[in-house]
Amino acid sequence: MLTSVHRPYEGSEWTSWGEIASNLARVALQDSHKKIVETLEVDSEVLDNIHEQFLELVFDHNIRIHSFQEGRGMSGIRGLDEKVVSDFSSKFGLPKVETIESIDANHMQMAKCKIRSDESYRAIAGVLKQFLKNESPGADLLIRSAIQTQQEETLNARQEADTCCATTSYYSIPSRNRWFVGRTKKLKELEEKLITSDNCQKLALVGLGGVGKTQVALQFAYTVKKHWPDYSIFWVPALSAESFKQAFRDIATRCSIALNPEEEDPKESVWRYLNSDLAGKWLLIVDNADDEEILFGGSSNSRSITDYLPESENGLILFTTRHREIAVSLARNEIVEVQEMDQKEAETFLKKSLTQNELLQEQTTITELLNELAFLPLAIAQAAAYLNAMQSSIPEYLALLRSTEQNIVRLLSREFRDDTRYKNLKNSVAATWLVSFDQIRRTKQYLGR
């Protein structure tokens, strides 16, 4: 029996690409297999002779043939948008001895099996098992042994996949936030919607400024990196058109995407790459998607940020934004709301951030402080930074918070080093908090009526 995967029995129109590769190889390696490539041309005399000789062997020895065909054409490479080996060329055309099966993959994917659950692997293995069962004495015992071995190896399939995929995945994400705590339910919800489910490719995290949307998204990125290493992960700040462009330039560098020297803007090249099968699986996180003009463009005819967001079966996009209207525009009804921390999360975060252990003994004042800060993670981080730097007590800090609004603004405007925030956002902290505080307090007052 012969089992074949996308072989060009009748030649291929794509041999011109092989000739190009052959020429490049000859330059680089001082060697060439161009003659071999030429035999794959349609109507090649050498290929016709090989074909006729093989058919004689098939009939003389009663050989059965099972041919696999590529089910999809190539995509993402200019000029390569069809099947590499046509349906006509990938079979012998001998219905009495040949069976034909199509695999839902392109030429590059169908014979590359990363794990045993891959469709290509299951299809090829199934044909071979059936052949053994029908043709070989004692095949049942052999098949049972093979199945047992497969089951044992399946236990390590994830580890094998991790090792395989680690060499092909790329990461362009900020450093992990080692002070991150809690948010377990939100992370689980993101996992279920984006990873486990098959019908969600875009999702938006929505919440007030300082509520921790960016940190939830960052933690999710590292969760995906650890448990689903076949995903490449890219972080794109939407603070400005320039920050978006720079992030795409970083992606191009990490993924070794060749940029057109005549194009200063890398967004087009990265967009084209992420839309192609070559990119594999990826997660794109668009952080701080708050400015409608930056996202969707103004009155000019120039392309906006959203015009460069890729659309691919293999890709996922996670947005963070303060505005629900923007979230709906970007992700429709796939929205996860991020609210202030609960009591336990806030206490854990504060205690983890403080350097003065004696402050941790004042449970009553800790609770008062967290209530005054409306359980906002950013406010808690600033309070901890102030207490650590000034060696103040919690009651002293509370007194400042409860003074005049001018003093509150001065306190909240105090610069503090925070590696988890973008550098150019430092001066907007006070305004962010005051708006968030006011909205949270008004909501609580309304619910308390």
Side-chain angles (χ1 to χ4, degrees):
M1 178 181 181
L2 170 69
T3 303
S4 176
V5 181
H6 58 50
R7 284 296 186 92
Y9 301 125
E10 303 292 344
S12 175
E13 298 288 352
W14 288 51
T15 51
S16 58
W17 289 93
E19 291 177 6
I20 295 173
S22 176
N23 291 335
L24 292 174
R26 182 170 57 180
V27 172
L29 304 176
Q30 301 300 312
D31 190 14
S32 174
H33 298 283
K34 187 172 182 180
K35 292 297 182 182
I36 297 176
V37 175
E38 288 175 352
T39 66
L40 297 180
E41 293 180 352
V42 177
D43 298 328
S44 163
E45 182 179 352
V46 175
L47 186 61
D48 288 341
N49 291 336
I50 294 174
H51 188 79
E52 291 177 3
Q53 293 173 15
F54 183 76
L55 289 181
E56 292 179 5
L57 292 174
V58 169
F59 293 118
D60 290 345
H61 298 278
N62 195 28
I63 296 175
R64 292 192 298 111
I65 303 169
H66 189 94
S67 297
F68 290 96
Q69 298 179 333
E70 53 202 76
R72 290 188 281 118
M74 299 291 292
S75 65
I77 306 178
R78 186 174 298 174
L80 309 185
D81 54 358
E82 298 177 356
K83 294 181 181 181
V84 175
V85 180
S86 68
D87 291 347
F88 168 75
S89 183
S90 60
K91 63 184 178 181
F92 282 97
L94 304 173
K96 292 184 179 181
V97 297
E98 180 183 23
T99 52
I100 302 169
E101 183 175 350
S102 177
I103 292 180
D104 185 26
N106 63 32
H107 186 81
M108 295 179 64
Q109 297 170 334
M110 63 184 300
K112 294 181 180 179
C113 307
K114 295 180 179 179
I115 56 177
R116 295 180 181 274
S117 61
D118 281 355
E119 180 182 349
S120 299
Y121 178 89
R122 294 199 308 269
I124 296 170
V127 170
L128 294 176
K129 289 177 183 177
Q130 188 63 38
F131 166 71
L132 288 173
K133 186 174 182 179
N134 293 340
E135 304 294 337
S136 302
D140 287 343
L141 180 61
L142 180 61
I143 291 174
R144 284 197 297 271
S145 176
I147 291 175
Q148 182 179 354
T149 302
Q150 178 177 341
Q151 290 174 340
E152 292 173 354
E153 293 180 356
T154 299
L155 296 176
N156 298 322
R158 171 55 64 83
Q159 183 176 359
E160 293 174 4
D162 290 353
T163 302
C164 173
C165 296
T167 60
T168 57
S169 296
Y170 304 95
Y171 305 104
S172 179
I173 49 180
S175 300
R176 181 193 293 272
N177 179 6
R178 59 190 180 94
W179 289 279
F180 184 88
V181 298
R183 307 296 193 168
T184 305
K185 291 182 180 179
K186 294 301 177 186
L187 292 170
K188 188 65 177 177
E189 188 173 0
L190 291 178
E191 175 186 325
E192 291 174 352
K193 284 179 172 289
L194 287 172
I195 304 296
T196 306
S197 172
D198 293 330
N199 55 9
C200 178
Q201 287 190 285
K202 292 181 180 179
L203 186 145
L205 285 174
V206 185
L208 299 172
V211 82
K213 302 179 297 297
T214 295
Q215 300 312 314
V216 171
L218 182 60
Q219 185 68 17
F220 179 67
Y222 278 95
T223 300
V224 173
K225 181 180 179 182
K226 178 179 179 180
H227 296 289
W228 294 276
D230 50 336
Y231 279 89
S232 294
I233 307 172
F234 308 112
W235 188 276
V236 179
L239 300 167
S240 64
E242 185 58 36
S243 70
F244 188 88
K245 178 180 177 180
Q246 183 57 49
F248 267 51
R249 189 178 298 280
D250 292 341
I251 294 173
T253 300
R254 290 184 181 273
C255 298
S256 300
I257 301 173
L259 299 179
N260 187 339
E262 298 180 358
E263 293 181 4
E264 293 184 359
D265 193 340
K267 298 193 292 293
E268 184 74 34
S269 298
V270 173
W271 174 83
R272 193 163 47 242
Y273 170 75
L274 292 180
N275 274 321
S276 74
D277 294 329
L278 298 177
K281 293 182 178 181
W282 49 263
L283 168 64
L284 182 69
I285 300 176
V286 182
D287 189 35
N288 281 87
D290 298 322
D291 192 311
E292 289 189 18
E293 186 171 346
I294 293 174
L295 291 170
F296 307 112
S299 56
S300 65
N301 295 325
S302 59
R303 297 178 67 179
S304 62
I305 280 181
T306 52
D307 292 327
Y308 292 100
L309 295 179
E311 299 275 354
S312 169
E313 293 180 355
N314 298 323
L316 305 171
I317 303 181
L318 175 62
F319 302 95
T320 72
T321 179
R322 300 180 189 179
H323 309 298
R324 190 174 185 85
E325 295 86 351
I326 290 179
V328 172
S329 297
L330 294 171
R332 296 190 178 182
N333 63 334
E334 297 294 350
I335 294 174
V336 173
E337 294 198 21
V338 181
Q339 299 175 339
E340 61 271 20
M341 286 180 160
D342 61 31
Q343 180 80 27
K344 183 177 180 181
E345 290 174 335
E347 285 187 10
T348 303
F349 181 43
L350 178 62
K351 292 176 180 178
K352 191 174 184 179
S353 303
L354 288 174
T355 58
Q356 302 178 73
N357 293 330
E358 62 272 15
L359 298 181
L360 303 179
Q361 308 302 320
E362 305 174 20
Q363 183 60 45
T364 302
T365 54
I366 286 178
T367 302
E368 289 183 32
L369 176 62
L370 294 177
N371 276 286
E372 199 70 30
L373 297 175
F375 296 93
L376 283 172
L378 187 57
I380 297 171
Q382 195 275 349
Y386 182 92
L387 293 169
N388 291 337
M390 306 303 294
Q391 293 187 318
S392 299
S393 67
I394 292 179
E396 289 173 337
Y397 190 83
L398 280 169
L400 291 173
L401 275 179
R402 291 166 177 169
S403 60
T404 65
E405 184 171 313
Q406 183 178 0
N407 287 338
I408 294 175
V409 172
R410 185 182 299 113
L411 177 65
L412 299 184
S413 299
R414 182 182 176 86
E415 295 288 355
F416 70 101
R417 183 175 179 80
D418 184 1
D419 294 333
T420 66
R421 285 178 60 79
Y422 299 108
K423 293 180 179 179
N424 56 341
L425 290 185
K426 285 184 177 180
N427 294 328
S428 65
V429 171
T432 297
W433 288 348
L434 288 175
V435 172
S436 299
F437 287 159
D438 183 60
Q439 187 164 340
I440 290 173
R441 286 167 178 167
R442 283 190 285 108
T443 300
K444 290 183 176 180
Q445 289 173 1
Y446 175 80
L447 295 175
R449 289 180 182 176

